[in-house]
Protein backbone atom coordinates (compact mmCIF):
# COMPACT_ATOMS: atom_id res chain seq x y z
CA UNK A 1 0.00 0.00 0.00
CA UNK A 2 1.02 3.62 -0.36
CA UNK A 3 0.94 6.23 2.44
CA UNK A 4 -2.83 6.64 1.99
CA UNK A 5 -3.46 2.88 2.13
CA UNK A 6 -4.22 2.56 -1.58
CA UNK A 7 -3.04 -0.52 -3.41
CA UNK A 8 -3.02 -1.90 -6.92
CA UNK A 9 -2.43 -5.44 -8.09
CA UNK A 10 -2.18 -6.26 -11.77
CA UNK A 11 -2.46 -8.22 -13.90
CA UNK A 12 -4.63 -10.85 -12.24
CA UNK A 13 -6.25 -13.67 -14.16
CA UNK A 14 -10.03 -14.06 -13.79
CA UNK A 15 -11.09 -16.08 -10.76
CA UNK A 16 -12.12 -15.90 -7.15
CA UNK A 17 -9.55 -14.61 -4.67
CA UNK A 18 -9.38 -14.46 -0.89
CA UNK A 19 -8.40 -10.95 0.11
CA UNK A 20 -6.28 -10.76 3.25
CA UNK A 21 -4.22 -7.67 4.16
CA UNK A 22 -1.27 -8.05 6.54
CA UNK A 23 0.54 -5.56 8.74
CA UNK A 24 2.49 -6.21 11.94
CA UNK A 25 0.32 -5.55 14.99
CA UNK A 26 -2.93 -5.37 12.99
CA UNK A 27 -5.63 -7.74 11.82
CA UNK A 28 -8.42 -7.49 9.33
CA UNK A 29 -11.32 -5.83 11.18
CA UNK A 30 -13.86 -8.56 11.82
CA UNK A 31 -17.60 -8.17 11.51
CA UNK A 32 -19.35 -9.33 14.68
CA UNK A 33 -20.98 -12.13 12.70
CA UNK A 34 -19.78 -15.53 13.91
CA UNK A 35 -20.13 -16.82 10.34
CA UNK A 36 -17.96 -14.12 8.75
CA UNK A 37 -15.27 -15.53 6.50
CA UNK A 38 -12.24 -14.29 4.64
CA UNK A 39 -13.39 -11.66 2.13
CA UNK A 40 -13.44 -12.95 -1.42
CA UNK A 41 -13.36 -11.08 -4.68
CA UNK A 42 -14.55 -12.58 -7.95
CA UNK A 43 -12.89 -11.15 -11.06
CA UNK A 44 -14.40 -11.68 -14.49
CA UNK A 45 -12.35 -11.40 -17.70
CA UNK A 46 -11.38 -7.77 -18.35
CA UNK A 47 -12.98 -6.54 -15.11
CA UNK A 48 -11.31 -3.78 -13.11
CA UNK A 49 -12.22 -3.20 -9.48
CA UNK A 50 -11.67 0.26 -8.04
CA UNK A 51 -11.91 1.57 -4.49
CA UNK A 52 -12.01 -1.92 -2.94
CA UNK A 53 -11.92 -1.26 0.78
CA UNK A 54 -10.48 -3.41 3.57
CA UNK A 55 -10.38 -2.23 7.18
CA UNK A 56 -7.74 -3.24 9.66
CA UNK A 57 -7.64 -2.68 13.41
CA UNK A 58 -4.86 -2.95 16.00
CA UNK A 59 -4.65 -6.43 17.43
CA UNK A 60 -5.74 -7.19 20.95
CA UNK A 61 -3.88 -9.50 23.31
CA UNK A 62 -5.20 -11.74 26.06
CA UNK A 63 -3.14 -13.83 28.41
CA UNK A 64 -3.64 -16.00 31.43
CA UNK A 65 -2.98 -19.36 32.99
CA UNK A 66 -4.64 -22.76 32.88
CA UNK A 67 -4.70 -24.41 36.30
CA UNK A 68 -5.87 -27.82 37.44
CA UNK A 69 -8.42 -28.39 40.20
CA UNK A 70 -5.65 -28.00 42.82
CA UNK A 71 -4.31 -24.72 41.39
CA UNK A 72 -1.28 -26.26 39.72
CA UNK A 73 -0.28 -25.24 36.16
CA UNK A 74 -1.53 -27.38 33.29
CA UNK A 75 1.23 -27.85 30.72
CA UNK A 76 0.48 -28.16 26.97
CA UNK A 77 -3.21 -27.35 27.31
CA UNK A 78 -4.79 -26.01 24.12
CA UNK A 79 -6.51 -22.63 24.55
CA UNK A 80 -9.08 -21.53 21.98
CA UNK A 81 -10.83 -18.26 21.19
CA UNK A 82 -14.44 -18.83 20.11
CA UNK A 83 -16.00 -15.72 18.63
CA UNK A 84 -16.83 -13.61 15.60
CA UNK A 85 -15.45 -14.63 12.25
CA UNK A 86 -14.44 -18.08 13.48
CA UNK A 87 -13.70 -19.24 9.93
CA UNK A 88 -11.42 -16.24 9.46
CA UNK A 89 -9.63 -16.98 12.74
CA UNK A 90 -8.99 -20.53 11.50
CA UNK A 91 -7.75 -19.22 8.15
CA UNK A 92 -5.35 -16.79 9.84
CA UNK A 93 -4.16 -19.52 12.19
CA UNK A 94 -4.77 -17.38 15.29
CA UNK A 95 -7.63 -19.23 16.95
CA UNK A 96 -5.47 -21.37 19.21
CA UNK A 97 -2.59 -21.17 21.66
CA UNK A 98 -0.95 -23.64 24.04
CA UNK A 99 0.25 -23.32 27.60
CA UNK A 100 3.91 -23.39 28.56
CA UNK A 101 5.53 -25.20 31.49
CA UNK A 102 4.01 -22.65 33.90
CA UNK A 103 0.50 -23.07 32.49
CA UNK A 104 0.69 -19.65 30.79
CA UNK A 105 -0.73 -18.75 27.39
CA UNK A 106 -0.90 -15.60 25.27
CA UNK A 107 -3.10 -14.95 22.24
CA UNK A 108 -3.14 -12.12 19.74
CA UNK A 109 -6.60 -11.65 18.21
CA UNK A 110 -8.70 -9.22 16.21
CA UNK A 111 -10.98 -7.06 18.36
CA UNK A 112 -14.28 -8.72 19.23
CA UNK A 113 -16.09 -10.68 21.89
CA UNK A 114 -14.79 -14.16 22.61
CA UNK A 115 -15.38 -17.09 24.88
CA UNK A 116 -12.05 -18.58 25.89
CA UNK A 117 -11.87 -22.34 26.39
CA UNK A 118 -9.24 -24.91 27.03
CA UNK A 119 -8.90 -28.56 26.24
CA UNK A 120 -6.21 -30.82 27.61
CA UNK A 121 -5.02 -33.37 25.07
CA UNK A 122 -5.40 -36.96 26.26
CA UNK A 123 -1.93 -38.45 26.41
CA UNK A 124 -3.05 -41.35 28.62
CA UNK A 125 -2.17 -43.89 25.96
CA UNK A 126 1.43 -42.65 26.04
CA UNK A 127 1.85 -42.88 29.80
CA UNK A 128 2.37 -45.97 31.91
CA UNK A 129 2.23 -45.29 35.63
CA UNK A 130 3.98 -47.68 38.02
CA UNK A 131 1.53 -46.91 40.84
CA UNK A 132 -1.45 -48.09 38.78
CA UNK A 133 -3.21 -44.70 38.73
CA UNK A 134 -4.60 -43.14 35.58
CA UNK A 135 -3.84 -39.59 34.48
CA UNK A 136 -6.56 -37.01 35.16
CA UNK A 137 -8.78 -36.22 32.18
CA UNK A 138 -10.71 -32.98 31.88
CA UNK A 139 -13.73 -31.91 29.87
CA UNK A 140 -13.46 -28.74 27.75
CA UNK A 141 -13.55 -25.81 30.18
CA UNK A 142 -14.41 -22.17 29.44
CA UNK A 143 -13.00 -19.15 31.28
CA UNK A 144 -13.14 -18.89 34.24
CA UNK A 145 -14.25 -22.46 35.15
CA UNK A 146 -17.43 -23.36 33.23
CA UNK A 147 -17.96 -26.76 31.65
CA UNK A 148 -21.11 -25.45 29.97
CA UNK A 149 -20.57 -22.80 27.27
CA UNK A 150 -23.84 -21.11 28.26
CA UNK A 151 -22.24 -20.22 31.62
CA UNK A 152 -19.08 -18.80 30.09
CA UNK A 153 -18.78 -15.01 30.02
CA UNK A 154 -17.66 -13.17 26.92
CA UNK A 155 -14.27 -11.47 27.00
CA UNK A 156 -14.56 -8.12 25.22
CA UNK A 157 -11.39 -7.24 23.32
CA UNK A 158 -11.10 -3.67 22.08
CA UNK A 159 -8.56 -2.77 19.38
CA UNK A 160 -5.11 -2.47 20.92
CA UNK A 161 -6.18 -3.88 24.32
CA UNK A 162 -3.85 -6.05 26.39
CA UNK A 163 -5.91 -8.05 28.88
CA UNK A 164 -4.01 -10.29 31.31
CA UNK A 165 -5.55 -12.61 33.90
CA UNK A 166 -7.94 -14.55 31.67
CA UNK A 167 -7.30 -17.66 33.75
CA UNK A 168 -9.08 -20.98 33.41
CA UNK A 169 -9.50 -23.36 36.34
CA UNK A 170 -10.06 -26.91 35.12
CA UNK A 171 -12.86 -28.93 36.69
Amino acid sequence: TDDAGRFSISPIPPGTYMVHPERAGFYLALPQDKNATVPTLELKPGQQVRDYRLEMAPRAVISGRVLDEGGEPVVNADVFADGPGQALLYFLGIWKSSTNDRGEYRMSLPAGQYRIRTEVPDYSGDEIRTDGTAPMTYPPTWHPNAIDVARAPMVDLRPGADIPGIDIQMR
Side-chain angles (χ1 to χ4, degrees):
T1 62
D2 65 15
D3 291 343
R6 291 183 297 261
F7 64 95
S8 175
I9 303 171
S10 63
I12 299 176
T16 302
Y17 295 89
M18 286 188 255
V19 184
H20 168 171
E22 292 184 5
R23 181 176 178 198
F26 288 79
Y27 287 118
L28 183 63
L30 295 178
Q32 293 303 304
D33 176 3
K34 186 162 178 81
N35 298 317
T37 61
V38 178
T40 58
L41 179 62
E42 185 175 340
L43 293 176
K44 306 218 182 302
Q47 180 182 11
Q48 289 187 356
V49 176
R50 298 193 184 279
D51 299 322
Y52 189 79
R53 185 177 174 91
L54 295 166
E55 292 187 30
M56 298 185 80
R59 71 174 184 207
V61 176
I62 63 167
S63 58
R65 297 180 73 202
V66 176
L67 306 169
D68 69 14
E69 68 285 355
E72 295 295 319
V74 178
V75 179
N76 295 327
D78 294 324
V79 181
F80 302 90
D82 299 327
Q86 197 70 42
L88 181 56
L89 295 177
Y90 286 122
F91 175 78
L92 297 174
I94 58 174
W95 56 283
K96 175 182 161 185
S97 180
S98 294
T99 59
N100 64 17
D101 62 334
R102 293 176 294 216
E104 301 167 330
Y105 74 92
R106 181 175 173 87
M107 296 180 83
S108 175
L109 297 162
Q113 292 189 323
Y114 299 91
R115 284 190 172 91
I116 307 302
R117 71 180 158 89
T118 188
E119 295 181 16
V120 179
D122 181 5
Y123 297 116
S124 60
D126 300 337
E127 181 177 356
I128 299 172
R129 294 186 174 190
T130 58
D131 64 1
T133 62
M136 180 63 80
T137 58
Y138 297 99
T141 305
W142 284 263
H143 162 75
N145 65 352
I147 55 173
D148 178 2
V149 68
R151 295 181 181 207
M154 299 294 272
V155 175
D156 190 16
L157 294 178
R158 303 280 179 214
D162 190 344
I163 303 175
I166 305 300
D167 298 341
I168 302 172
Q169 179 92 39
M170 301 301 294
R171 299 198 22 185

